[in-house]
Amino acid sequence: MRVVGVIAELNPFHDGHAYLLRQAKEQCGASYAVVVMSGDFVQRGEPAILDKYTRTRQALEGGADLVFELPVRFCVSSAGDFAAGGVMALNSLGFVTDLCFGSECDDLPLLDAVADLLWDEPEAFCTSLNRHLRSGLSFAGARALAITDCLYSDSRTPLAGRQVPDREECQRILHQPNNILGLEYCLALKKQRSPIVPHTIRRQGMDYHDTGSCVSNDFPSSSALRKQMIENDVPHLCLDDFCAALGYALLFSENLCEYKDFSKDLADRVHRLLPEYTTPSALVEACGTRAFTDSRIRRSLIQCLLGIRQSGMTMPYLRLLGMKKEHSSKMPLSLVSHSTCKILSRLAGDVSSLSEPARSLLLQDLSASDLYRQTWCRKYQCELPNEYQRPLIVR
């Protein structure tokens, strides 16, 4: 039996995600689709526009059979660590046979070959990467150039003899968001020596960053949907809703470099600007440079807010957020016995079975969700159940 895994944010869930889940099952011949989803904070360094429970229900209605929460330390990390955490989660379940992801290029052999290059890290690649980093480029930009330098200059790379697009097209491919994540998934599978088989499906509809009208498009982008929700005043959270909490965290952090993505240069810039701090979005804009992208700065700020000092490259537990009703007493939950991590489905009872280090990591997730809940309740003058009061979602 085949079980396909999908790593996603679903921020928010849309028709493109439903299409991916359908195609993933069909392409892989899978009986079940398992989604590992970001919780209440996402990789672009912002709160999710809708809470994880709403998005879990949407995913189950849209084709997912099981939805697990990706620990927050991976959710608010770089693309590489986000992908590594997602692959680690699927590996730890023990029953996932395939990984399916969307990409703009739909060229798995190319992504896999580039992943070979990044895994081997030949001297020519490292030299080129360091040269581009010294020129002031962001890591992502420098790496894309280093990859193409190797592709078209060094016949000894792992890509030698493979059919590749021309240099300009390759640069375009390596800068597209879903291709970048797909490359990281392939690399993570290699680094973790995973038996899971990768597959990719071409992204449909609007481009990832396209914020145009959703009305005339069958597959609107998440960016466009978030923009539409904000313009229509649909209840949501944004980074500036955490203005006071973030300001407090920055003021009382003795060493910003302790947090995962803060470099000394970025920490110095933030410290210089703190006396003029008004909102997170204004701080992000003021800190931006060629080397520090907005998403990198937002991630660093969120890591400070949530106290995330390292990625913790272990998966001692996974929290099950929801499942299809027809599986509540049979497969695929019976496969959980194959898992190498503890599956948390009833939080109050399961926490006591965790080791002390695992409980410490889980506390990070629970604190992040509680902060999200408190901020939502304060903004909309309402009451919501806390994490221990939330039941498993069955649809």
Side-chain angles (χ1 to χ4, degrees):
M1 184 186 70
R2 305 202 73 82
V3 178
V4 63
V6 172
I7 304 164
E9 293 185 325
L10 312 183
N11 186 37
F13 187 89
H14 56 67
D15 288 344
H17 295 128
Y19 174 82
L20 175 62
L21 288 168
R22 288 196 305 271
Q23 291 297 310
K25 284 184 177 180
E26 182 177 329
Q27 188 175 119
C28 301
S31 303
Y32 303 102
V34 174
V35 174
V36 173
M37 185 187 76
S38 296
D40 289 321
F41 292 88
V42 296
Q43 203 257 332
R44 56 188 282 114
E46 293 181 341
I49 198 158
L50 296 174
D51 69 86
K52 62 189 177 187
Y53 299 103
T54 299
R55 286 153 44 232
T56 294
R57 285 192 292 271
Q58 292 171 341
L60 293 172
E61 291 164 359
D65 294 286
L66 293 173
V67 179
F68 291 90
E69 180 180 3
L70 182 65
V72 71
R73 59 190 181 279
F74 298 110
C75 298
V76 294
S77 292
S78 64
D81 282 354
F82 174 84
V87 168
M88 194 183 310
L90 295 178
N91 279 332
S92 70
L93 288 173
F95 56 81
V96 175
T97 57
D98 301 85
L99 165 62
C100 195
F101 56 87
S103 66
E104 290 88 355
C105 68
D106 191 26
D107 189 343
L108 185 62
L110 174 62
L111 296 176
D112 192 59
V114 174
D116 280 336
L117 172 66
L118 297 177
W119 177 227
D120 292 337
E121 286 194 338
E123 183 178 351
F125 169 77
C126 296
T127 300
S128 179
L129 176 64
N130 289 329
R131 183 176 73 253
H132 292 305
L133 285 172
R134 286 195 299 270
S135 74
L137 288 176
S138 67
F139 179 80
R143 189 176 74 163
L145 284 173
I147 290 169
T148 49
D149 287 345
C150 286
L151 270 171
Y152 300 99
S153 318
D154 189 346
S155 61
R156 296 166 297 175
T157 70
L159 295 151
R162 304 193 191 199
Q163 184 175 1
V164 294
D166 61 45
R167 188 183 186 102
E168 183 177 339
E169 175 64 9
C170 185
Q171 272 292 295
R172 189 181 71 83
I173 288 172
L174 292 174
H175 279 90
Q176 291 175 307
N178 292 115
N179 291 338
I180 292 171
L181 265 180
L183 172 58
E184 295 294 354
Y185 294 141
C186 292
L187 180 57
L189 289 170
K190 294 176 188 298
K191 286 184 174 181
Q192 296 178 34
R193 306 189 187 283
S194 173
I196 294 174
V197 180
H199 306 261
T200 190
I201 293 170
R202 183 181 294 277
R203 179 186 173 90
Q204 301 293 314
M206 298 171 73
D207 289 341
Y208 183 90
H209 293 299
D210 192 341
T211 58
S213 173
C214 304
V215 175
S216 59
N217 202 302
D218 291 335
F219 295 101
S221 69
S222 292
S223 298
L225 286 170
R226 288 193 297 271
K227 179 172 181 281
Q228 178 178 276
M229 290 171 67
I230 292 167
E231 289 175 345
N232 292 337
D233 206 23
V234 175
H236 68 279
L237 290 184
C238 64
L239 186 58
D240 282 354
D241 291 319
F242 296 82
C243 180
L246 178 59
Y248 180 89
L250 291 171
L251 283 171
F252 288 91
S253 293
E254 294 183 2
N255 180 12
L256 289 177
C257 294
E258 290 180 347
Y259 301 108
K260 189 170 177 295
D261 285 346
F262 260 111
S263 66
K264 186 177 185 307
D265 287 346
L266 180 55
D268 288 344
R269 289 181 72 83
V270 170
H271 274 305
R272 284 198 303 270
L273 292 165
L274 262 184
E276 302 166 14
Y277 175 78
T278 54
T279 64
S281 57
L283 180 60
V284 170
E285 184 176 359
C287 285
T289 67
R290 255 181 111 199
F292 301 132
T293 62
D294 287 357
S295 58
R296 160 77 183 278
I297 299 166
R298 288 195 301 264
R299 279 197 303 272
S300 300
L301 296 178
I302 288 289
Q303 289 163 8
C304 174
L305 175 66
L306 302 180
I308 297 174
R309 291 174 170 80
Q310 41 76 37
S311 59
M313 297 300 284
T314 60
M315 195 66 65
Y317 63 84
L318 272 176
R319 188 170 174 198
L320 178 62
L321 296 177
M323 63 185 300
K324 284 282 184 66
K325 186 174 184 179
E326 58 263 34
H327 305 320
S328 58
S329 61
K330 56 180 183 177
M331 294 279 283
L333 270 192
S334 61
L335 294 172
V336 165
S337 60
H338 298 279
S339 300
T340 59
C341 67
K342 175 70 176 177
I343 304 299
L344 309 179
S345 58
R346 294 174 178 83
L347 198 56
D350 291 334
V351 170
S352 60
S353 66
L354 294 176
S355 67
E356 187 58 41
R359 280 200 296 271
S360 178
L361 291 173
L362 178 62
L363 181 61
Q364 218 171 48
D365 298 337
L366 299 181
S367 297
S369 292
D370 273 339
L371 179 61
Y372 187 99
R373 177 184 61 82
Q374 291 171 13
T375 305
W376 185 286
C377 290
R378 185 169 57 251
K379 182 174 181 178
Y380 292 107
Q381 296 296 299
C382 65
E383 292 186 6
L384 293 172
N386 64 38
E387 292 300 287
Y388 287 92
Q389 296 167 331
R390 291 279 192 174
L392 179 69
I393 296 171
V394 180
R395 304 294 284 182

